[in-house]
Amino acid sequence: MSADPKYPVGRFVPPLAWDPAATSQWLGDLAALPASITSATSGLNDRQLDTPYRDGGWTVRQVVHHLADSHLNAFCRCRLALTEEAPVIKPYEEARWAELPDARTAPIALSLQILDGLHPRWVALLQALTTEQWQRVFHHPDHERPLTLWHTAALYAWHGRHHTAHVIALREQLGWT
């Protein structure tokens, strides 16, 4: 892990091209996320869940709910890219979503259940893609170029490891074993 509390696994480095070997690793990371984040949050009480993982950062609870929100949106974007020709997706204000009452107070079990159901389905979809389908794209209004499905898989594999590492680093820092 990195010493940087904001990027404990380092910043996302986009792959330059689609690579089947790298894809296998991304799918493994996506498949592992539900168990990884469940393990990282196991046994935490409400006070701990409501602790920010860094100064100015979200609470552990918000991070877990953010993972469910973000990955659900990414799954839908993948499906849109596979069923429409280069769709323009609707972005969302993730920081504002993290401030909504459910993200600040709801039990994390609700979002862990979403991740438990979503990730196996998402991985099954991605595992079935052809080489041509991995090249499918969607347009995100905040990005200058279209995003491929392989870029999206790499990004969300990193994203899950990134936020899980936030929780693990906080546990280590505060001695929450």
Side-chain angles (χ1 to χ4, degrees):
M1 274 205 263
S2 164
D4 182 351
K6 191 170 183 178
Y7 295 100
V9 298
R11 290 182 179 267
F12 175 63
V13 178
L16 299 176
W18 180 68
D19 172 19
T23 304
S24 178
Q25 179 63 49
W26 304 330
L27 294 178
D29 289 346
L30 288 169
L33 175 65
S36 296
I37 193 64
T38 297
S39 175
T41 56
S42 179
L44 295 180
N45 62 39
D46 281 335
R47 181 187 55 76
Q48 292 167 323
L49 290 171
D50 294 330
T51 302
Y53 71 88
R54 65 174 175 84
D55 286 341
W58 290 333
T59 66
V60 173
R61 185 184 312 274
Q62 288 172 299
V63 166
V64 174
H65 292 311
H66 163 71
L67 280 168
D69 293 341
S70 176
H71 290 215
L72 188 56
N73 272 281
F75 172 71
C76 291
R77 292 169 181 176
C78 289
R79 295 183 68 79
L80 288 168
L82 289 165
T83 59
E84 299 177 17
E85 199 56 45
V88 176
I89 59 93
K90 173 147 181 12
Y92 70 102
E93 298 291 336
E94 65 181 34
R96 292 179 70 186
W97 281 37
E99 294 301 324
L100 291 172
D102 63 321
R104 294 188 65 76
T105 63
I108 64 168
L110 300 173
S111 285
L112 294 175
Q113 289 171 348
I114 290 170
L115 293 168
D116 280 340
L118 175 65
H119 274 252
R121 182 155 175 216
W122 193 9
V123 170
L125 172 67
L126 296 175
Q127 284 175 328
L129 297 185
T130 65
T131 300
E132 294 76 28
Q133 288 173 315
W134 278 108
Q135 308 306 316
R136 303 275 305 179
V137 299
F138 61 85
H139 294 273
H140 190 299
D142 295 340
H143 294 269
E144 293 178 11
R145 60 178 175 73
L147 300 174
T148 61
L149 291 187
W150 54 264
H151 178 276
T152 302
L155 174 61
Y156 284 89
W158 169 85
H159 187 253
R161 289 185 292 103
H162 166 71
H163 283 305
T164 300
H166 283 143
V167 177
I168 292 169
L170 179 66
R171 285 186 82 127
E172 290 171 358
Q173 175 190 350
L174 297 180
W176 297 344
T177 57

